[in-house]
């Protein structure tokens, strides 16, 4: 089926690159977002997020007339929903964004349309989305009641791109295509084949949902192992970076690197979607989450010890005169994404307990988030290195890689940058 018009609902880190790549293949793309500011920026041919080369692709797509953004859904042949799926306070998945996105597109759906849920979702969310759509459009038939003869095709196709490499991975990665029926999958494949060069592998919607959660839980459990090792090694006075390097010489061992915790919108969130559905069975997955979530507190203890060490070496100073610099706020290297970042949590906690000045260095952002901006200022690497007494390395951004000359300063290195 020719997809003349494709609508991407949610123009963030996933939706905007996806919309831009469809547009770069000369498809008419309508981007929908509730954020008027994002819509205005995109319609000017600019972008509101940081992702290498995306600005050029969006600029070309908008100026050539293939991409247009709006706050109100319009008719299209395919809809891809890429809205947030956070969890609530009790770690239960919050599907309200999917609910409002699906209710917003329901009025413009027509017979033959394809609706794809791209948001990372707990098992059953695609069926839930289909139920919301069916409730809003009793005049159309849906796969849950009409199977292969339904008017509307529905699939879950999770996204597994790496921030910072999204444009390349969108095209090259294999895709899991979980249609509610085989015809739904077939139509979804024909849509993705517009730009995907990786393999499109068919399964059902529930398995596709679980596949994405499994990928991120697997990463979370592996990182928890590395983080636990770092705490064990600290107790035993062993350099964890050296230990992991040595252990990884074993041909079948590949331990990941420890860090200050686990952040981002995916790995720190998605495992809870498994735990919430199957709390009795998901014991290891829950424990890994708890290990990773506890790591920032361990780092705070290390910062307290570092300040005490500095004061011991400088008995003429008080804690009020000790300047701490936090290097990095993003949840991982070389991106501007601060969501669920352990570096933010650690910086906030340092501000709360430390009576002296705290500096933040984050080369990928222009201004601090609201949670920090009244308490500290954003500082350049050089002035933080000059002014700070205690350095706390939280992200291994490329700009920090040659900081080993600061080794003479007291530091807490959560990433092994100064090792
Ligand atoms: N960022 C990643 O690296 C990544 C990777 C794989 C999967 N995912 C998943 O993709 C989904 C989207 O993530 P993201 O990082 O793009 O989020 P994001 O916050 O960057 O973007 C989501 C966008 O959706 C918009 N939005 C919210 N409600 C809406 C609605 N009802 N209608 C239209 N727009 C709406 C928001 O304004 C925002 O611009 C999530 O489920 C996430 O878990 C993200």
């Amino acid at each position: 089926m020719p997809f003349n018009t494709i609508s991407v609902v949610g123009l963030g880190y996933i939706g905007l690159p996806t919309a831009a790549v469809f547009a770069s293949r000369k498809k008419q793309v309508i981007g929908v977002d509730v954020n008027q500011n994002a819509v205005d920026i995109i319609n000017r041919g600019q972008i509101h997020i940081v992702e290498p080369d995306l600005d050029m692709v969006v600029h070309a797509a908008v100026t050539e007339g293939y991409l247009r953004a709006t706050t109100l859904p319009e008719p299209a042949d395919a809809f891809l929903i890429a809205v947030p799926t956070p969890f609530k306070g009790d770690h239960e998945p919050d599907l309200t964004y999917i609910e409002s996105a699906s209710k917003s597109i329901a009025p413009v759906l027509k017979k033959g349309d394809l609706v794809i849920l791209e948001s990372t979702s707990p098992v059953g969310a695609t069926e839930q989305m289909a139920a919301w759509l069916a409730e809003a459009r009793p005049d159309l038939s849906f796969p849950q009641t009409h199977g292969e003869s339904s008017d509307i095709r529905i699939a879950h196709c999770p996204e597994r791109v790496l921030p910072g490499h999204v444009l390349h991975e969108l095209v090259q990665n294999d895709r899991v295509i979980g249609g509610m029926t085989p015809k739904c999958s077939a139509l979804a494949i024909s849509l993705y084949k517009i730009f995907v060069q990786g393999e499109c592998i068919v399964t059902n919607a529930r398995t596709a949902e679980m596949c994405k959660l499994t990928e991120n839980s697997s990463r979370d459990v592996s990182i928890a192992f590395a983080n636990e090792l770092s705490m064990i090694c600290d107790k035993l006075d062993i350099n964890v970076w050296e230990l992991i390097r040595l252990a990884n010489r074993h041909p079948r061992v590949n331990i990941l690197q420890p860090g200050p915790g686990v952040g981002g919108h995916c790995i720190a969130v998605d495992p809870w979607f498994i735990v919430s559905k199957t709390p009795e069975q998901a014991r290891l997955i829950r424990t890994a989450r708890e290990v990773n979530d506890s790591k920032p507190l361990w780092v705070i203890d290390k910062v307290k010890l570092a300040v005490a060490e500095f004061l011991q070496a400088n008995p003429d100073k008080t804690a009020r005169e000790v300047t701490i610099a936090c290097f990095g706020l993003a949840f991982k290297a070389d991106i501007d994404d601060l969501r669920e970042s352990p570096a933010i949590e650690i910086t906030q906690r340092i501000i709360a307990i430390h009576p002296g000045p705290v500096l933040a260095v984050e080369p990928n952002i222009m201004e601090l988030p609201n949670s920090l901006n009244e308490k500290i200022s954003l500082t350049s690497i050089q002035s933080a290195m000059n002014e700070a007494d205690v350095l706390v390395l939280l992200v291994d951004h490329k700009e920090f890689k040659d900081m080993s000359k600061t080794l003479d300063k007291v530091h807490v290195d959560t990433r092994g940058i100064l090792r």
Side-chain angles (χ1 to χ4, degrees):
M1 169 190 167
F3 295 99
N4 294 320
T5 307
I6 297 164
S7 182
V8 179
V9 184
L11 296 172
Y13 286 88
I14 294 302
L16 183 56
T18 304
V21 173
F22 274 121
S24 74
R25 302 303 191 268
K26 309 218 175 300
K27 290 286 166 191
Q28 286 299 326
V29 180
I30 302 167
V32 182
D33 204 293
V34 289
N35 179 346
Q36 181 72 55
N37 186 39
V39 165
D40 293 343
I41 291 172
I42 293 163
N43 283 334
R44 288 200 298 269
Q46 297 165 351
I47 61 174
H48 60 297
I49 53 174
V50 171
E51 179 59 40
D53 301 331
L54 182 62
D55 51 350
M56 287 186 311
V57 185
V58 168
H59 187 261
V62 172
T63 50
E64 288 168 19
Y66 289 107
L67 173 62
R68 183 166 55 81
T70 164
T71 53
L72 289 177
E74 296 174 20
D77 304 315
F79 294 83
L80 293 97
I81 296 184
V83 295
T85 41
F87 57 65
K88 298 181 260 186
D90 51 1
H91 293 135
E92 286 295 312
D94 178 359
L95 298 187
T96 51
Y97 296 90
I98 298 178
E99 181 177 5
S100 66
S102 45
K103 286 182 176 167
S104 77
I105 63 164
V108 298
L109 282 184
K110 60 185 186 318
K111 189 173 171 168
D113 283 356
L114 169 67
V115 181
I116 292 183
L117 179 60
E118 278 212 3
S119 301
T120 304
S121 299
V123 173
T126 309
E127 291 157 8
Q128 175 63 73
M129 180 186 78
W132 281 319
L133 291 173
E135 197 184 313
R137 290 298 301 272
D139 54 317
L140 292 170
S141 63
F142 289 82
Q144 63 271 33
T145 49
H146 289 69
E148 294 292 41
S149 64
S150 66
D151 293 333
I152 304 294
R153 306 289 185 202
I154 294 182
H156 177 61
C157 304
E159 188 49 74
R160 37 164 64 142
V161 288
L162 181 67
H165 301 260
V166 171
L167 288 174
H168 173 80
E169 293 208 352
L170 265 179
V171 174
Q172 299 299 333
N173 286 358
D174 293 341
R175 281 212 82 122
V176 174
I177 308 282
M180 284 183 71
T181 68
K183 279 192 180 164
C184 296
S185 297
L187 195 57
I189 289 180
S190 63
L191 177 72
Y192 282 105
K193 276 296 172 193
I194 291 170
F195 67 79
V196 171
Q197 288 174 16
E199 204 177 323
C200 291
I201 305 144
V202 171
T203 181
N204 58 41
R206 292 174 76 86
T207 309
E209 289 161 343
M210 188 62 184
C211 182
K212 171 70 189 177
L213 305 182
T214 301
E215 290 159 15
N216 283 342
S217 296
S218 164
R219 302 273 302 156
D220 199 45
V221 170
S222 300
I223 297 168
F225 181 68
N227 278 337
E228 190 165 288
L229 272 182
S230 73
M231 296 185 271
I232 293 168
C233 285
D234 184 67
K235 272 261 177 261
L236 300 178
D237 200 19
I238 290 169
N239 180 326
V240 69
W241 316 102
E242 183 193 3
L243 173 85
I244 292 174
R245 207 165 51 241
L246 295 176
N248 282 348
R249 289 293 186 104
H250 184 291
R252 285 167 296 283
V253 170
N254 187 12
I255 302 166
L256 301 182
Q257 300 294 301
V262 168
H265 197 345
C266 294
I267 297 180
V269 175
D270 304 347
W272 289 117
F273 293 179
I274 300 178
V275 175
S276 77
K277 285 270 172 192
T278 50
E280 299 283 307
Q281 291 75 22
R283 290 181 300 160
L284 179 62
I285 293 171
R286 174 197 288 275
T287 302
R289 272 293 60 244
E290 289 167 351
V291 168
N292 287 331
D293 275 354
S294 71
K295 192 74 191 289
L297 294 174
W298 183 88
V299 175
I300 290 297
D301 285 342
K302 294 283 136 200
V303 173
K304 287 182 191 161
L305 288 175
V307 171
E309 183 188 333
F310 178 82
L311 288 173
Q312 202 172 19
N314 298 274
D316 53 317
K317 292 217 173 192
T318 65
R320 215 171 263 285
E321 296 165 291
V322 178
T323 301
I324 301 178
C326 297
F327 285 80
L329 296 174
F331 79 82
K332 63 180 207 169
D334 305 327
I335 58 167
D336 71 328
D337 195 339
L338 309 183
R339 290 176 297 179
E340 314 288 330
S341 173
I344 292 275
E345 180 186 343
I346 290 166
T347 305
Q348 283 169 332
R349 286 181 184 275
I350 291 174
I351 293 166
I353 58 168
H354 182 61
V358 181
L359 310 173
V361 184
E362 178 42 79
N364 296 298
I365 60 171
M366 302 299 284
E367 58 187 65
L368 287 167
N370 290 340
S371 61
L372 292 177
N373 71 359
E374 280 174 10
K375 292 142 193 159
I376 53 173
S377 56
L378 201 55
T379 312
S380 71
I381 300 177
Q382 202 49 53
S383 46
M385 272 162 54
N386 293 341
E387 289 170 37
D389 304 304
V390 174
L391 313 182
V392 185
L393 286 122
L394 297 170
V395 188
D396 46 346
H397 288 315
K398 59 181 184 308
E399 291 86 351
F400 303 159
K401 289 279 164 68
D402 66 346
M403 279 177 55
S404 37
K405 51 180 171 265
T406 57
L407 262 179
D408 55 330
K409 291 209 173 188
V410 178
H411 61 268
V412 177
D413 182 3
T414 67
R415 298 280 185 177
I417 297 171
L418 308 180
R419 71 185 94 155

